[in-house]
Amino acid sequence: MSLTITSPAFRNGEVIPTRHTRDGENLSPPLEWRDVPPETKSFVLIVEDPDAPSGMFRHWAMYNIPAGEVSLPEGASAQGLRGAGEGVNGFRNARYDGPQPPKGHGPHHYHFRLAALDVPRLDVPASAKVEDIWAKAQPHISAEAEVVGTYER
């Protein structure tokens, strides 16, 4: 078995509900994962849009998610998670900011990527960008999974 991630809000490859976008309530969607490697000591989650006109656009990073967690509830970014931090996204906010592709640009694909890490925490400054957090996580990844949602305006 390998690490898997899903969302009760949308199936892999399907449309992300408006409530989880900047056109709606901008709530981070609920996420669930299973088949966690036994050596996992923490998790990191990022959300990226490779279809952005200017290249990869990063919407969210949550890091230092405790190893015992197997889900994030809807709105986890707004609620916070004890011990976890959030990276600075492409909108320059240290929180979840959902999809908001340019109007008429077609469907964008939002990759929710979860990594199981072999360290209990990543030591990064509070001002760290999503891409810096992901880079810091790379040498510590023991398993990775993703679920992709789409959205267009």
Side-chain angles (χ1 to χ4, degrees), residues 7-112:
S7 176
F10 61 92
R11 288 192 182 136
N12 191 47
E14 292 189 354
V15 175
I16 297 170
T18 303
R19 70 185 279 110
H20 302 296
T21 73
R22 285 173 57 109
D23 291 332
E25 297 169 55
N26 203 30
L27 291 169
S28 54
L31 298 164
E32 301 169 348
W33 51 92
R34 64 184 175 281
D35 301 322
V36 175
E39 67 274 11
T40 301
K41 294 195 169 103
S42 68
F43 296 97
V44 63
L45 172 80
I46 66 168
V47 181
E48 299 178 305
D49 171 12
D51 303 316
S54 59
M56 186 68 76
F57 192 90
R58 292 166 178 97
H59 288 262
W60 191 28
M62 184 175 270
Y63 59 97
N64 296 339
I65 300 168
E69 296 293 332
V70 293
S71 66
L72 290 175
E74 178 181 74
S77 178
Q79 299 166 14
L81 182 66
R82 198 176 72 164
E86 294 180 274
V88 177
N89 63 31
F91 295 106
R92 299 188 185 138
N93 298 315
R95 66 170 192 237
Y96 172 83
D97 272 306
Q100 189 182 39
K103 289 183 178 167
H105 199 256
H108 282 219
H109 298 80
Y110 298 88
H111 296 252
F112 290 74

Side-chain angles (χ1 to χ4, degrees), residues 118-135:
D118 64 4
V119 292
R121 62 182 296 103
L122 294 175
D123 291 317
V124 295
S127 61
K129 294 180 179 178
V130 172
E131 56 268 33
D132 298 333
I133 292 163
W134 192 247

